Amino acid sequence: MPTYAWQKSSHSGNAANCVYVRNDRDGTLRLRESDEPRIALAASPAAFGTFIRAAKAGEFDSLAHPTAST
């Protein structure tokens, strides 16, 4: 089985919590974090693009900054 190179996000800098992505030969995109390198999410290019556009639009901001429960 061939090994494919992971590309580190330019937003990760030199931090310990880095995000990596790679494109497999079959077109599947894979996403992983440096603290759990054996675990990778897989998605089609279309699904990954939809996720990126939603993240850029702020659709997941509430997950990063949850409101305090009352």
Side-chain angles (χ1 to χ4, degrees):
M1 179 179 213
T3 302
Y4 298 96
W6 289 95
Q7 180 180 343
K8 181 177 164 182
S9 167
S10 61
H11 293 281
S12 294
N14 292 326
N17 296 331
C18 301
V19 176
Y20 293 85
V21 66
R22 79 176 190 204
N23 188 2
D24 286 348
R25 184 172 295 189
D26 66 359
T28 301
L29 294 171
R30 300 196 185 271
L31 181 72
R32 73 174 190 189
E33 292 184 77
S34 58
D35 58 345
E36 290 290 343
R38 294 175 301 200
I39 299 171
L41 301 175
S44 69
F48 191 72
T50 299
F51 171 77
I52 295 298
R53 284 188 295 281
K56 285 182 175 182
E59 292 187 32
F60 308 116
D61 288 358
S62 64
L63 298 174
H65 306 287
T67 58
S69 59
T70 56

